[in-house]
Amino acid sequence: MPDRPRVILSGFADEAANQKTAVQQFAAFAALGLQYYSIRFVDVLGTGEIKNVMKLSRTEIHKVRRLQDEYGLNVSSIGSPIGKVKLLDVDDGTKNTYVPFKRYLEKEVKRACQIAHALETKLIRGFSFYHPRGTDPQAHLPQVVDQLGQIAETCHRSDLTFGLEVEANLVGGNGYLLAEIHRQVNHPAMVLVFDAANLIVQGYSSAEVLDQFRAMLPGLGWLHIKDYHNPRPVEKGAPIDEDILHNFVPADQGDAAHEAIFREFRAVLPDLRARLHRRGIPGVFLDLEPHVKGGGQFGGFSGPDGMGVALRALCKVLDYVGIEYHLRDFDDIKAARGF
């Protein structure tokens, strides 16, 4: 009997920690049975100073390495904010910052590559830039394609892969636009990151979300897992105030219909795994980012209890559609102790 398709479970560890300390994050993930995590915000030294992973000092990175070894964890991806800056230096009424691209590439993107190497991951998560509020995102595709192509090449030269996430208010705000960006960039070091909830919040139906997932399949790299229930109709294509989004729910308990998504995902898993292996990536990650206690432009929160609920909901759907995954068991504990 052939093996069932298999994924690697991961998650944004900062969502599981009340004070976002490294110890809280790693203890929660180890207790949940996870062996991979995405690093985003963290208080490494337990002093109350929470930093984005891009701001960590060399000493803090070394401390993270020691702690994650202690808890038996590995980094799946760098949860960087690369690409969450303005495409053009214009006042559009938002608080988004603008950084000249050449300086951005030299400073921020190369810094992300250095951190990825230091934490021994092959993946960097990023975004597709903010176009001026109220303008047509398609009008900005040439500039975005050029800039993302340079980011992909920078990552490629460091033997890394850049994952471009679908998210509201960016040029790649839906699956169709993101798929077109991927097609035009046409670089092996750039893949796409699907997130159903990031489409549901924009007013897309479950059928439309599934269709956008299909559009992204040729460039798919990994998935973020969260769901959302819209309490009221949303005008599709309109700007989204991410700071007022409070209706995130565990997988397949909202409007995204994860069961249908995973059924189609199951069919492409073997080929996707093989493609990622060729780039030195251990497998296909499902990265929990549940936001069940709230989310915003640059992160979200679930708490240790919320992360546990979200993980169990995800596993339930995966079991139902026949996708394999691994959680720590007693054999892993014995192996770690040398039994």
Side-chain angles (χ1 to χ4, degrees):
M1 183 177 177
D3 291 338
R4 295 201 298 180
R6 190 176 187 88
V7 296
I8 302 174
L9 300 181
S10 178
F12 283 81
D14 56 353
E15 290 222 8
N18 289 343
Q19 285 78 39
K20 298 196 187 300
T21 68
V23 168
Q24 286 178 343
Q25 294 184 35
F26 298 166
F29 266 47
L32 289 169
L34 296 169
Q35 293 178 310
Y36 281 89
Y37 76 103
S38 283
I39 184 169
R40 183 173 50 194
F41 292 102
V42 59
D43 172 7
V44 178
L45 303 177
T47 62
E49 184 180 10
I50 299 169
K51 293 184 179 181
N52 184 274
V53 60
M54 297 284 287
K55 304 296 184 183
L56 295 182
S57 68
R58 182 177 299 180
T59 298
E60 288 168 324
I61 289 172
H62 289 164
K63 177 70 171 177
V64 167
R65 286 288 304 270
R66 290 195 299 272
L67 282 171
Q68 70 181 33
D69 287 347
E70 180 181 339
Y71 285 92
L73 288 161
N74 298 288
V75 175
S76 54
S77 71
I78 302 299
S80 84
I82 294 295
K84 273 199 171 182
V85 292
K86 286 182 176 180
L87 195 60
L88 301 170
D89 188 13
V90 297
D91 184 0
D92 60 357
T94 71
K95 296 179 181 179
N96 301 321
T97 59
Y98 171 79
V99 183
F101 182 68
K102 184 175 180 180
R103 175 154 58 91
Y104 195 67
L105 188 68
E106 287 296 316
K107 183 178 179 182
E108 297 299 320
V109 177
K110 289 187 176 179
R111 174 62 178 158
C113 292
Q114 292 168 356
I115 292 170
H117 281 296
L119 294 176
E120 295 187 351
T121 180
K122 290 286 188 178
L123 300 174
I124 298 172
R125 184 280 307 264
F127 302 91
S128 54
F129 296 94
Y130 291 112
H131 55 294
R133 181 68 61 92
T135 65
D136 181 357
Q138 296 194 60
H140 302 283
L141 282 181
Q143 184 180 354
V144 165
V145 167
D146 175 63
Q147 292 184 186
L148 288 174
Q150 292 184 60
I151 290 174
E153 179 60 23
T154 299
C155 291
H156 188 60
R157 289 176 182 176
S158 291
D159 196 26
L160 301 169
T161 296
F162 185 73
L164 189 63
E165 181 178 351
V166 63
E167 184 167 315
N169 300 329
L170 299 153
V171 174
N174 62 56
Y176 306 122
L177 283 169
L178 213 65
E180 179 60 20
I181 291 169
H182 179 267
R183 187 189 70 80
Q184 291 191 33
V185 171
N186 190 29
H187 197 292
M190 193 180 84
V191 298
L192 303 180
V193 181
F194 178 78
D195 187 319
N198 284 354
L199 299 172
I200 291 294
V201 300
Q202 298 180 64
Y204 293 107
S205 69
S206 58
E208 290 170 316
V209 169
L210 181 59
D211 196 51
Q212 291 183 54
F213 174 72
R214 292 168 179 154
M216 289 173 61
L217 280 176
L220 190 66
W222 72 95
L223 278 67
H224 283 179
I225 306 299
K226 61 178 177 285
D227 207 340
Y228 194 81
H229 175 66
N230 269 325
R232 63 182 67 87
V234 176
E235 180 187 351
K236 280 182 285 191
I240 299 295
D241 183 351
E242 296 174 80
D243 291 327
I244 66 168
L245 298 176
H246 299 298
N247 295 284
F248 293 100
V249 295
D252 212 35
Q253 295 183 28
D255 301 332
H258 275 94
E259 180 191 332
I261 292 166
F262 286 150
R263 288 193 184 281
E264 300 212 6
F265 178 58
R266 184 182 187 279
V268 304
L269 254 177
D271 288 343
L272 178 54
R273 257 182 99 186
R275 191 162 74 241
L276 294 173
H277 280 169
R278 288 194 290 271
R279 291 199 60 81
I281 300 162
V284 184
F285 287 105
L286 298 189
D287 219 1
L288 280 162
E289 191 188 18
H291 289 10
V292 294
K293 294 185 180 179
Q297 184 178 10
F298 292 102
F301 181 61
S302 297
D305 51 345
M307 187 63 78
V309 169
L311 175 61
R312 290 189 292 276
L314 171 60
C315 292
K316 182 178 179 181
V317 184
L318 294 176
D319 289 338
Y320 190 69
V321 301
I323 294 176
E324 295 279 2
Y325 55 89
H326 173 73
L327 294 172
R328 301 190 206 202
D329 56 23
F330 189 50
D331 287 338
D332 295 310
I333 304 254
K334 290 190 293 184
R337 295 175 61 183
F339 287 2

